[in-house]
Amino acid sequence: MRVSAKADYAVRAAAELAAADEGPVKGEKLADAQDIPLQFLEHILLELKHQGIVRARRGAKGGYWLARPADEVTIAEIVRAVEGPIAHVQSTPPEAIEYRGNSEHLQEVWIAVRASIRNVLENVTLADLVADELPDVVTDLAAVPDSWVAR
Amino acid sequence: MRVSAKADYAVRAAAELAAADEGPVKGEKLADAQDIPLQFLEHILLELKHQGIVRARRGAKGGYWLARPADEVTIAEIVRAVEGPIAHVQSTPPEAIEYRGNSEHLQEVWIAVRASIRNVLENVTLADLVADELPDVVTDLAAVPDSWVAR
DNA sequence: GCACTCCCGACCAAGCAGGTCAGGAAAGTC
DNA sequence: GACTTTCCTGACCTGCTTGGTCGGGAGTGC
């Protein structure tokens, strides 16, 4: 139940792309802006490219840009692109597991966990993120002081 | 963003303990009931014991039992006992990360993710689980058909 | 004393995390 | 055509995690 550095980096780099006005942005600029190791970031951007989230051009004046408008790219997509499916249990999707005996209803719990994560990540777009116009589901949760305490 | 086999096993074993009427339950019985490799399960139960969630006695008539009533043990506790803190980012708690530039508000998103997971896992007790009396937050989410589709 | 059951450290194979390195291949500039 | 720039890609690396297994030790009950 953790978020990898890769996923965090991927979203941060994508946010920079979403905020870029015109034309391709160099990998180095993204790395500098978000303090990410350049060569590691290049691998991440390559994955995002393979998943059709960003596009790239080489050479002078080359760089990366979003394949779609920033308000059509959700955080969930980016996380999936680099981390794979969200909230799998034992590397299989929760709806595919058979629980028996007294743990029969554990399946519904894992399903609910996945759904609640999706409720957040699928409703935040890169445009929301850079404009600081996060959806209510996020601001409501973040407004509760208890959400900020470690446990 | 995945649930480990260990966490899944731990909750399933704990559910069996919650359902056991009286006296200690042998590790072997738990392993059989939930189809968990016995020796692996023993390590998991040991961790649960160290975290004060279960108790154990050795020898004939020995076994494991819950340290507290089943309605006072949440799934969140069990997951934390074997997996550590929920929804850390880059191995640090989201409230401790400093985001700059265009990813400034990513922190609130990760905080919201953590809060929404907690909303589920901290509100389901072992008693709820074995009695099939899951709280509304779970049943509401599990009632949406879309929650069950892979993505 | 003996069977039973938990306790616990050592080990293991595979994979992932979080990178680094070295070179190749397109694109633009002169 | 040469040269620079920038992305593309595979190989490699260290250390840790996952999901276990093995073997023996130590309480407990009869």
Side-chain angles (χ1 to χ4, degrees):
Chain A
M1 299 293 268
R2 50 189 298 277
V3 178
S4 65
K6 210 160 142 184
D8 189 51
Y9 288 164
V11 177
R12 283 155 60 184
E16 289 295 326
L17 291 181
D21 280 336
E22 281 292 317
V25 184
K26 291 200 329 182
E28 199 181 352
K29 192 174 172 192
L30 298 172
D32 286 351
Q34 289 296 328
D35 211 38
I36 304 171
L38 173 59
Q39 311 202 84
F40 191 37
L41 178 60
E42 286 184 335
H43 282 275
I44 294 169
L45 288 165
L46 199 59
E47 286 186 69
L48 293 181
K49 189 192 154 194
H50 288 158
Q51 298 295 321
I53 293 172
V54 309
R55 283 199 227 277
R57 185 163 43 225
R58 311 191 232 205
K61 301 236 170 186
Y64 304 88
W65 64 96
L66 290 179
R68 278 170 289 145
D71 62 357
E72 290 176 22
V73 182
T74 68
I75 311 252
E77 282 182 81
I78 297 173
V79 172
R80 281 198 196 99
V82 298
E83 274 195 355
I86 289 168
H88 271 204
V89 179
Q90 294 206 47
S91 304
T92 57
E95 75 271 10
I97 308 181
E98 275 191 59
Y99 288 100
R100 287 175 311 181
N102 291 292
S103 66
E104 205 179 330
H105 302 286
L106 184 52
Q107 182 173 47
E108 289 143 68
V109 176
W110 296 142
I111 289 282
V113 167
R114 181 175 70 177
S116 73
I117 298 174
R118 286 180 177 177
N119 263 347
V120 175
L121 296 185
E122 292 185 346
N123 283 302
V124 183
T125 68
L126 291 176
D128 298 337
L129 187 59
V130 302
D132 191 15
E133 283 170 6
L134 299 172
D136 289 349
V137 62
V138 173
T139 52
D140 288 355
L141 284 166
V144 179
D146 190 59
S147 298
W148 292 77
V149 316
R151 201 170 299 153
Chain B
M1 298 295 268
R2 50 187 297 277
V3 178
S4 66
K6 210 159 142 184
D8 189 51
Y9 289 164
V11 177
R12 282 155 60 184
E16 289 296 326
L17 290 181
D21 281 336
E22 282 292 316
V25 184
K26 292 201 324 182
E28 199 182 352
K29 192 175 171 191
L30 299 172
D32 286 350
Q34 289 296 328
D35 211 37
I36 303 170
L38 173 59
Q39 311 201 86
F40 190 37
L41 179 60
E42 285 185 336
H43 282 276
I44 294 168
L45 288 165
L46 199 58
E47 286 185 68
L48 293 180
K49 190 191 155 197
H50 288 158
Q51 299 295 320
I53 294 172
V54 309
R55 283 200 228 276
R57 184 162 43 226
R58 310 190 234 206
K61 300 237 170 184
Y64 302 89
W65 64 96
L66 291 178
R68 279 171 289 146
D71 62 357
E72 290 176 21
V73 182
T74 68
I75 312 252
E77 282 182 82
I78 298 173
V79 172
R80 281 197 196 98
V82 299
E83 275 195 355
I86 289 169
H88 272 205
V89 178
Q90 294 205 48
S91 303
T92 58
E95 74 271 9
I97 308 182
E98 274 192 60
Y99 288 101
R100 288 175 311 180
N102 290 292
S103 66
E104 205 179 329
H105 302 285
L106 185 52
Q107 182 172 48
E108 290 143 67
V109 175
W110 295 143
I111 289 283
V113 167
R114 181 175 70 178
S116 73
I117 298 173
R118 286 179 177 176
N119 264 347
V120 175
L121 295 184
E122 291 185 347
N123 283 303
V124 183
T125 69
L126 291 175
D128 298 336
L129 186 61
V130 302
D132 191 16
E133 283 170 7
L134 298 173
D136 290 349
V137 62
V138 173
T139 53
D140 288 355
L141 284 167
V144 179
D146 190 59
S147 297
W148 292 78
V149 315
R151 200 168 302 152

